[in-house]
Amino acid sequence: MCYASTADGYSPETPLRFTVKVEDMNDNAPLFTEESFCMEILEHSNRGAIVGRVNATDLDEPNSLHTLLRYSLISQIPASPIMFAVDPNYGIITTTSNNLDREVADNYVLLIEVRDMGGRFASCLSSTGTVLITVTDINDYAPTFTQQSYQTEVNENESGMIILRIPVIDKDLSNSSNWRAKYSITQGNEKGYFNITTDPVTNEGLLSVVKGINYEEVQKILIQVGVTNEVSLITPSGTKTSGLSTVPVTVIVKNVDEGPEFQPAVKIIHVRENQTIGTVIGDFKAIDPETNSGNGIIYSLQDSLSWVSIDQTSGQLTTIKVLDYESNEAPNHQHNVTVYGVDQSGKTGTGTLVIIVDDVNDNMPFVPRDGSNICNTGRSYSVIEAADPDGTPYSAPFKFSLDPSVSNQWRIVQTDGKSIRLEPVTDMAIGTYDVPLHIVDQQGHGTTQILKITKCICADGINCSSSRSDKMVSLGGLAILLMVLSALLVAALLCALLACACGSGAGKDKIGFPDDAAQQNLIVTNTEAPGADVMDQNFKVPVHISDANVVGTAPTRSGVFGQGGQSFSESGGQQFTQSKITKQMTRGPSRFGTMGMGHSMQDPNRLTYSEWQTFMNSHIGDKLYMCGQDEEHHKGEDYVLQYNYEGKGSVAGSIGCCSELRGEEERLDFLNQLEPKFRTLAEVCAKK
């Protein structure tokens, strides 16, 4: 910037911009952008195919002659023939021939020069760069066998071994898909004796025998082995083919002395069930392949279920057991037996005998559970399921029918081939009914079975409510004995307590019975008179006595009963049985009077004295009669004591509480307040 001003600093002119341009000199040589360029090209590429491009830069003035670059090929390794060219203006490298062959030369090194000044002046500057070109492989060579034919040997009946290794030559890149071989047997392996695979390391073909060859059938086999690559072969014209190469292979079968052979190796024999022991079911024979004869072969077998035996010389099979189709000895009614044959040289051959048991219609369909129930309210039908151990076609589906005698009472609803619903036609009373049901299988083979159908009350609508009680009835003999002994023990204790209570007034004179208002209850002994604090309003005196002159008349066995001292003979009264006594001891509540607070309270439901005496004479007499029995039916004198009414205010109190009470509404809570000597009697009275 230039400024003009006076001495005193005045600037009459504006600043002037002055531009100075530095002229370029060609002082920088062009340089390649990379030290070495790497490129690839497929072999046999067409002439003029682009391989790649090289680039160079120059620091001199752009777009000037100093930066006008030109490229040229200085050298090629290998030098001959020249396969590449470079475009001078753009540095593009192309092929000059279509004869690039990786198998001849797989790498090329090019030396490229770049010049500035258009490369036309001696003053131009230059530099060189390296280009590495790799020729990539294509499958242009087919694998070829090293021999015109091959031959190998194998022992008869041997298998699972490699019998021949077949090498091939392939010039393509090793361990690539263009090089790896694929082998196949194109001819001669119709019976599947052989198989061929590729060795992944050596690329050889591995011929193996996978199925034994019988020398007596064939002595030599000619096969043809083919080989290709994993990818298609590309011809010089660029088309693709399989590139299959083939070679003949001869396999010689060597004869070996072998054991007998069963023909067939697996034999199936069907046997009907229920055949008698010793039934001939067939034979299973072997032949010696050396002589093609079965002479001199000794037979034996291994049978884990012992079903059959075999004749040592003829191979005839006979049963040694009655076979049953319905048994579970063999799954699917089939059993395998191993049969051995030994020739004269000691060689052994084996065969498999499969025995299949065939079913016969030897079972009839039946109902396993012949008892069922229907409900009064709820399930109104019974499900009947039938079974038949036989197999198809001798079993389900079944046909069900009712006997004509019950067809107007019951009907059948078929649900499936094995079950029905049995329903009553009309409303039937509760009880058990016998229903004859006829069941036949597919062949019409069947029988009539009587079903027990019980109609009952079902709490849940499905099952009888009394099923539990029915089960309880079926007790064992030991349980019944224990129950009887327990009942006798309880009865003996009850009689002892009653005897003690009755004996408390034995020595008194004739005592009169009080009137109906007499209190006959138990009170606390330290209370001079009955009080409200010890009485329960719900307690009722069992009986009311008004006449002391009436004596008992119930017959007992030679015992004395009552104040009158009347004796009763065994023949003069009613005969008592265990069932009757039990009924009397367990009958419903009696009607008794009610007393409380020391005053007479008349109960309209109370018994009169005569009613009470009739009941008590019979009830207590029955109890004493049973207590007085021993094993020889002799009375027990120590239990038959006088029973007297003690009267009002008796110290011992009344034992009227031992009579049967009315029901659960009768409360005896006050008995829990009695003194210890009364508690045992109170427990008896309360039936605890």
Side-chain angles (χ1 to χ4, degrees), residues 165-204:
R165 300 179 75 94
I166 306 175
V168 293
I169 297 175
D170 194 328
K171 295 181 180 180
D172 289 317
L173 182 62
S174 298
N175 297 317
S176 68
S177 59
N178 300 325
W179 174 81
R180 286 189 287 267
K182 291 176 58 179
Y183 296 90
S184 61
I185 301 175
T186 59
Q187 292 180 10
N189 195 34
E190 289 76 11
K191 294 186 178 181
Y193 291 129
F194 307 101
N195 184 41
I196 190 167
T197 58
T198 304
D199 189 322
V201 177
T202 65
N203 211 31
E204 293 177 318

Side-chain angles (χ1 to χ4, degrees), residues 512-533:
F513 290 96
D515 58 8
D516 288 347
Q519 294 187 14
Q520 299 188 34
N521 57 341
L522 302 177
I523 61 176
V524 179
T525 57
N526 60 358
T527 303
E528 288 75 14
D533 56 340

Side-chain angles (χ1 to χ4, degrees), residues 528-581:
E528 288 75 14
D533 56 340
V534 297
M535 285 300 297
D536 191 323
Q537 302 253 343
N538 295 322
F539 177 72
K540 295 183 180 181
V541 178
V543 296
H544 184 262
I545 305 172
S546 59
D547 189 357
N549 296 322
V550 180
V551 297
T553 60
T556 62
R557 292 190 61 190
S558 188
V560 180
F561 183 85
Q563 182 66 26
Q566 183 178 354
S567 63
F568 303 93
S569 65
E570 187 177 32
S571 61
Q574 181 183 359
Q575 191 72 22
F576 292 90
T577 63
Q578 177 66 34
S579 61
K580 180 174 293 187
I581 295 172

Side-chain angles (χ1 to χ4, degrees), residues 281-319:
I281 62 174
D283 57 17
F284 197 13
K285 296 181 179 181
I287 62 172
D288 189 344
E290 309 300 330
T291 62
N292 199 25
S293 171
N295 297 331
I297 298 178
I298 304 301
Y299 297 97
S300 63
L301 58 77
Q302 181 180 354
D303 184 359
S304 60
L305 299 180
S306 300
W307 280 13
V308 295
S309 63
I310 189 169
D311 186 86
Q312 291 186 352
T313 57
S314 65
Q316 181 175 278
L317 299 166
T318 56
T319 60

Side-chain angles (χ1 to χ4, degrees), residues 387-640:
D388 192 334
D390 290 325
T392 305
Y394 305 119
S395 59
F398 304 122
K399 293 182 180 179
F400 300 84
S401 60
L402 291 172
D403 189 89
S405 61
V406 297
S407 59
N408 60 343
Q409 301 175 3
W410 303 88
R411 64 170 170 261
I412 291 176
V413 178
Q414 189 90 24
T415 57
D416 54 37
K418 293 184 178 181
S419 62
I420 59 169
R421 287 169 52 178
L422 187 61
E423 301 177 350
V425 175
T426 60
D427 188 16
M428 307 181 71
I430 293 176
T432 301
Y433 299 87
D434 292 340
V435 181
L437 180 65
H438 189 63
I439 313 171
V440 296
D441 56 23
Q442 296 184 56
Q443 308 303 320
H445 188 214
T447 185
T448 300
Q449 185 173 348
I450 304 298
L451 304 180
K452 298 286 186 180
I453 307 300
T454 301
K455 184 174 183 180
C456 57
I457 298 175
C458 306
D460 58 357
I462 299 176
N463 301 309
C464 292
S465 302
S466 60
S467 60
R468 181 179 176 184
S469 60
D470 295 339
K471 294 179 181 179
M472 294 177 62
V473 172
S474 58
L475 300 175
L478 181 59
I480 297 175
L481 179 60
L482 292 176
M483 293 175 60
V484 172
L485 293 178
S486 300
L488 292 177
L489 180 60
V490 172
L493 293 176
L494 177 62
C495 292
L497 293 174
L498 290 175
C500 293
C502 294
S504 60
K508 295 184 179 181
D509 296 335
K510 183 176 181 181
I511 301 176
F513 290 96
D515 58 8
D516 288 347
Q519 294 187 14
Q520 299 188 34
N521 57 341
L522 302 177
I523 61 176
V524 179
T525 57
N526 60 358
T527 303
E528 288 75 14
D533 56 340
V534 297
M535 285 300 297
D536 191 323
Q537 302 253 343
N538 295 322
F539 177 72
K540 295 183 180 181
V541 178
V543 296
H544 184 262
I545 305 172
S546 59
D547 189 357
N549 296 322
V550 180
V551 297
T553 60
T556 62
R557 292 190 61 190
S558 188
V560 180
F561 183 85
Q563 182 66 26
Q566 183 178 354
S567 63
F568 303 93
S569 65
E570 187 177 32
S571 61
Q574 181 183 359
Q575 191 72 22
F576 292 90
T577 63
Q578 177 66 34
S579 61
K580 180 174 293 187
I581 295 172
T582 304
K583 291 181 180 179
Q584 291 177 350
M585 295 177 67
T586 57
R587 61 189 175 183
S590 304
R591 298 174 299 164
F592 303 111
T594 302
M595 300 294 295
M597 300 298 294
H599 302 284
S600 174
M601 299 178 63
Q602 187 66 29
D603 188 346
N605 294 326
R606 182 184 302 180
L607 297 173
T608 62
Y609 174 75
S610 60
E611 292 175 339
W612 172 86
Q613 185 181 30
T614 301
F615 166 74
M616 289 304 296
N617 283 348
S618 174
H619 190 56
I620 301 300
D622 294 346
K623 293 178 181 293
L624 292 177
Y625 172 76
M626 293 302 301
C627 293
Q629 297 289 330
D630 57 16
E631 295 181 353
E632 299 179 357
H633 300 284
H634 294 166
K635 65 181 180 179
E637 295 293 341
D638 53 340
Y639 290 107
V640 185

Side-chain angles (χ1 to χ4, degrees), residues 150-165:
Y150 295 90
Q151 180 174 311
T152 185
E153 295 180 346
V154 62
N155 292 330
E156 68 170 325
N157 299 323
E158 288 186 353
S159 62
M161 61 189 66
I162 297 173
I163 60 174
L164 181 65
R165 300 179 75 94

